[in-house]
Amino acid sequence: PIVAQDAPADPSTREFSKVYLTPNGIGAMLDVPVYVRGALVGVVCHEHVGGPREWGEDEGNFAMSIGQLLSLAIEVRHSLQAEEKLRREEVKGKDAANRTHQEVGAKVRQTIQELGGTMPEELPVVESIKKIETKQRKRLGKAVTPTKKKSE
């Protein structure tokens, strides 16, 4: 995830300042990945219009859950498509189904390579929003303060 509390100044997002952030008045961003079968297939972008903004832990968790829901929805769609392909092509038996699965997987990997994408095994491990927030605070020289729960 990218947690940019001051998006125009943050090293991970500042390159978008001139063409996107400033013209649209975006001051902060919270971007989360969407993974399907270990491959990055998209990013859900949460943007704050206005000045810099601190994202709370609950907002980070919500953003991550949206990314995970999208991943799940895509997985379900793929499963339904695979089931339909097996029915349509009248694939019978476990071995034939496994061969079809391997063929589809090989085609997906080939497509990732042709598009210049990152292979699933080369993707970085996803860190929690809280860990990233702590690292960024340290990097920016800000004090690391725990987020208070609403009940406190």
Side-chain angles (χ1 to χ4, degrees):
I2 296 174
V3 181
Q5 296 175 6
D6 184 358
D10 190 283
S12 58
T13 55
R14 68 177 168 221
E15 68 183 272
F16 303 110
S17 290
K18 192 180 285 187
V19 296
Y20 183 72
L21 301 175
T22 302
N24 292 295
I26 297 167
M29 297 175 72
L30 173 58
D31 297 347
V32 295
V34 177
Y35 288 101
V36 174
R37 298 182 183 141
L40 181 65
V41 298
V43 177
V44 180
C45 301
H46 304 268
E47 300 167 343
H48 168 72
V49 175
R53 174 190 199 285
E54 287 195 30
W55 298 98
E57 183 176 6
D58 57 336
E59 293 168 313
N61 290 336
F62 175 77
M64 289 295 288
S65 69
I66 296 299
Q68 291 167 348
L69 281 172
L70 282 172
S71 295
L72 180 59
I74 293 167
E75 288 281 0
V76 168
R77 181 172 179 245
H78 285 172
S79 293
L80 293 173
Q81 288 174 329
E83 287 176 15
E84 177 56 32
K85 179 179 171 105
L86 292 172
R87 267 194 300 277
R88 187 177 59 246
E89 295 180 7
E90 298 181 1
V91 175
K92 304 282 189 221
K94 183 179 176 181
D95 290 338
N98 284 336
R99 276 194 305 279
T100 301
H101 172 75
Q102 290 172 348
E103 290 169 7
V104 170
K107 181 61 179 168
V108 168
R109 291 182 66 79
Q110 177 186 350
T111 303
I112 291 170
Q113 287 176 330
E114 289 172 358
L115 296 174
T118 304
M119 299 308 285
E121 62 273 10
E122 296 170 4
L123 291 169
V125 176
V126 178
E127 293 182 83
S128 74
I129 291 286
K130 193 65 183 164
K131 285 182 183 177
I132 291 170
E133 182 180 64
T134 301
K135 281 183 183 179
Q136 286 191 334
R137 284 181 185 273
K138 286 179 182 176
R139 183 175 50 88
L140 297 172
K142 295 180 180 179
V144 178
T145 55
T147 306
K148 290 187 177 180
K149 303 233 187 273
K150 290 182 181 183
S151 61
E152 295 180 339

